[in-house]
Amino acid sequence: MNKWNEMYKAKLASAEEIVKNINAGEICASTCALGEPIGLVDALAERAKREKLEGITHHLLLTLRNNQYLSPEVSSRLKHVAWFTSGYARKAVQEGYADFMPCYYYEAPKLWREFVEADVFYATVSPMDKQGWFSFGVSVSNARAQMLRAKKVYLEVNKYMPRTHGRGFVHISEVDAIYENDVPLIEMMEAPITEKDEIVGNYIAELIPNEATIQLGIGGIPNAVAKALRNKRDLGIHSEMFTEGMVDLIESGIVTNRKKNVNPYKTIAGFAAGTRRMYDFLHDNPGVEFHPIDYVNDVNVIASHDNFISINATLEVDLLGQVCSESIGSKQFSGTGGQVDFVRGAGVSKGGKSFITTYSTAKNDSITKIKPTLAEGSHVTCAKNDVDYIVTEYGVARLKGKTASQRATALINIAHPNFREELTHEAKKMHLIP
Ligand code: COA
């Protein structure tokens, strides 16, 4: 048995044994989404309830399951701090029994290095290789920054976690204990593409040149854009999130990465969530590299790609082009994620463009999503000066280089026809248009 295998064996433990070392009041940090060590987290919740531990916090970006800590009963003992609020965590955050961390995604590793303490780091990883390395798989994100900050490091080894290429590894010598838990990874199915998604996708596809490097965000419309790119050639990918649609783009030969002036021949991402088909595609695939998020989302790295195209969705836009993508009024809905990072990076890239997409209305056409001013309490995600294109099913408004008055006019023109008169009236009252 080699040295690393011996070390591995010596560090093996059950989930219950590991969580016995986590004390009341401690701060636990986990990397994003599928990196959440669900066996350890469940064992911790059970222990916290059983032994009435108080004040443990569990920091995570994007939980993908209905964890016990999301219930009011458990949250006083084990409280979630969401660095990006998922659909599962939304109610808990909105009702105050989970907390959230405002941040740009690119700066999450720096926040861990310089601002937030951690007692424990835990994560799901792929099995160890002969040299003693585990891969953070599809959740490289801010894993190493959190790990280096923590006093104790626990890994949950799962054979279903793909071993990915790039810079997301942890060595057995850096770890305090290991728990083996082979459970199929959670799968995230894509929402079916609607007629409106297709229209928006086609508008954007027309504005993407061949050989561009793209980033696709979270939500229905970015998925439709991936489908609308079927007639492009030699695209590249540099994206915080690797999406299911990207597997199709690579397998069909539309994405080759060969014209990228940064990381040519490589798709670069920070994390992924999708179906088993995607996880199998990513396993030991040297064409896709996962890197820490302070590299992937670094504005300077994004900006150094020529023709960088960023596509993200939003919830509301005002007539100056301020964008709210993370709250509905004052209610936290998701998070800033990397939206600002990519909008800014694409803005600096030579030939770059950023697209922010939205349907023109919500709730059966009863609410306009283009508004004179953002709803009271909204959290501004992208500032007006950063925003480039806004796209709805009624067209495309390019805001860069437009005056306040031109912006208001362009945005009213892509609002739902039922609201254009009212928006025009409000814009006049605000002296935005004559
Ligand atoms: N007022 C009231 N309700 C609204 C609304 C508004 N202005 N805008 C949307 N809604 C409702 C919708 O009707 C929908 O409700 P339903 O679920 O009952 O149908 C729900 O809110 C979600 O809206 P939708 O437009 O379908 O969201 P999405 O799943 O496409 O996600 C974002 C859109 C903006 C939430 C998502 O892209 C996001 O979190 N972005 C920020 C982070 C980011 O872009 N990161 C970058 C890369 S990953």
Side-chain angles (χ1 to χ4, degrees):
M1 197 188 286
N2 81 16
K3 180 179 166 187
W4 308 130
N5 285 335
E6 271 173 35
M7 213 180 250
Y8 184 98
K9 259 190 112 177
K11 292 182 182 188
L12 263 185
S14 68
E16 289 68 30
E17 284 167 335
I18 291 177
V19 302
K20 262 194 216 146
N21 300 312
I22 303 177
N23 302 311
E26 287 197 336
I27 299 168
C28 303
S30 174
T31 179
C32 71
L34 295 160
E36 181 169 32
I38 56 179
L40 291 175
V41 171
D42 283 349
L44 180 58
E46 289 302 331
R47 174 167 180 238
K49 282 192 296 184
R50 199 175 52 243
E51 296 178 25
K52 301 198 178 350
L53 299 179
E54 295 287 339
I56 303 174
T57 48
H58 172 67
H59 290 247
L60 173 83
L61 199 138
L62 198 70
T63 187
L64 295 179
R65 74 200 272 264
N66 202 12
N67 283 293
Q68 291 195 52
Y69 57 70
L70 296 172
S71 71
E73 298 73 42
V74 177
S75 73
S76 66
R77 311 202 176 282
L78 176 62
K79 189 167 188 165
H80 181 39
V81 181
W83 289 52
F84 188 98
T85 308
S86 71
Y88 293 98
R90 193 165 293 144
K91 186 166 182 279
V93 170
Q94 290 181 351
E95 297 188 2
Y97 46 93
D99 204 350
F100 79 96
M101 179 68 77
C103 67
Y104 296 116
Y105 199 6
Y106 86 89
E107 72 167 351
K110 183 175 163 67
L111 295 185
W112 281 108
R113 280 192 294 268
E114 296 178 21
F115 295 87
V116 191
E117 304 281 342
D119 295 293
V120 171
F121 169 75
Y122 42 23
T124 295
V125 293
S126 70
M128 187 178 84
D129 68 14
K130 280 192 218 142
Q131 271 57 257
W133 292 96
F134 306 84
S135 156
F136 285 115
V138 293
S139 297
V140 171
S141 182
N142 50 17
R144 276 203 71 86
Q146 291 174 314
M147 186 186 94
L148 294 175
R149 180 67 154 170
K151 299 180 188 95
K152 291 171 268 184
V153 176
Y154 304 129
L155 298 184
E156 181 163 322
V157 177
N158 183 348
K159 70 174 183 190
Y160 293 99
M161 175 62 92
R163 179 181 174 81
T164 60
H165 287 240
R167 286 196 291 134
F169 294 95
V170 41
H171 195 260
I172 181 73
S173 56
E174 298 176 291
V175 177
D176 292 290
I178 290 160
Y179 164 58
E180 289 178 342
N181 189 24
D182 291 331
V183 284
L185 295 188
I186 294 165
E187 298 190 59
M188 279 206 354
M189 302 302 164
E190 281 193 345
I193 291 176
T194 65
E195 207 179 310
K196 282 192 219 169
D197 294 337
E198 236 173 86
I199 297 171
V200 174
N202 288 332
Y203 284 140
I204 295 175
E206 269 177 39
L207 294 165
I208 299 181
N210 291 323
E211 302 180 12
T213 295
I214 59 168
Q215 172 261 332
L216 294 176
I218 203 161
I221 299 178
N223 293 337
V225 175
K227 297 260 183 316
L229 295 172
R230 56 194 160 269
N231 296 321
K232 303 290 171 188
R233 64 175 163 73
D234 283 326
L235 296 179
I237 294 174
H238 180 100
S239 186
E240 74 179 54
M241 182 168 170
F242 184 88
T243 65
E244 197 73 25
M246 291 178 179
V247 181
D248 300 317
L249 288 170
I250 296 169
E251 286 190 337
S252 61
I254 293 163
V255 165
T256 62
N257 291 308
R258 69 190 182 107
K259 297 289 179 179
K260 275 171 96 176
N261 58 325
V262 182
N263 297 310
Y265 298 98
K266 300 280 184 191
T267 286
I268 303 293
F271 78 99
T275 65
R276 187 70 235 167
R277 168 209 177 219
M278 177 208 272
Y279 308 144
D280 290 342
F281 173 84
L282 293 173
H283 179 70
D284 198 19
N285 181 344
V288 185
E289 287 189 356
F290 285 82
H291 287 259
I293 214 68
D294 49 356
Y295 172 77
V296 180
N297 282 29
D298 181 334
V299 171
N300 297 309
V301 172
I302 299 164
S304 55
H305 293 74
D306 291 344
N307 301 313
F308 196 96
I309 307 288
S310 144
I311 300 144
N312 293 296
T314 196
L315 296 167
E316 218 168 83
V317 184
D318 77 9
L319 287 179
L320 282 177
Q322 296 190 99
V323 152
C324 165
S325 312
E326 59 196 271
S327 73
I328 295 185
S330 61
K331 286 197 165 171
Q332 188 71 26
F333 189 87
S334 60
T336 308
Q339 185 167 115
V340 177
D341 311 341
F342 279 93
V343 164
R344 289 191 176 150
V348 183
S349 150
K350 187 170 154 226
K353 299 171 185 170
S354 74
F355 295 93
I356 300 280
T357 68
T358 176
Y359 296 158
S360 63
T361 57
K363 306 291 170 208
N364 290 327
D365 292 343
S366 63
I367 299 173
T368 175
K369 296 178 57 153
I370 296 183
K371 296 212 161 122
T373 54
L374 296 177
E376 192 181 340
S378 296
H379 309 174
V380 174
T381 306
C382 294
K384 63 187 186 321
N385 306 359
D386 287 323
V387 174
D388 191 1
Y389 288 89
I390 302 284
V391 188
T392 72
E393 73 275 24
Y394 288 101
V396 178
R398 189 165 206 187
L399 304 186
K400 286 240 175 206
K402 285 202 168 64
T403 65
S405 173
Q406 289 167 332
R407 282 168 177 242
T409 306
L411 286 165
I412 292 168
N413 284 340
I414 62 162
H416 191 286
N418 291 356
F419 293 97
R420 288 185 197 165
E421 202 181 310
E422 185 187 324
L423 286 168
T424 305
H425 176 72
E426 290 300 319
K428 284 183 178 169
K429 273 197 345 203
M430 292 161 71
H431 304 293
L432 277 175
I433 56 176

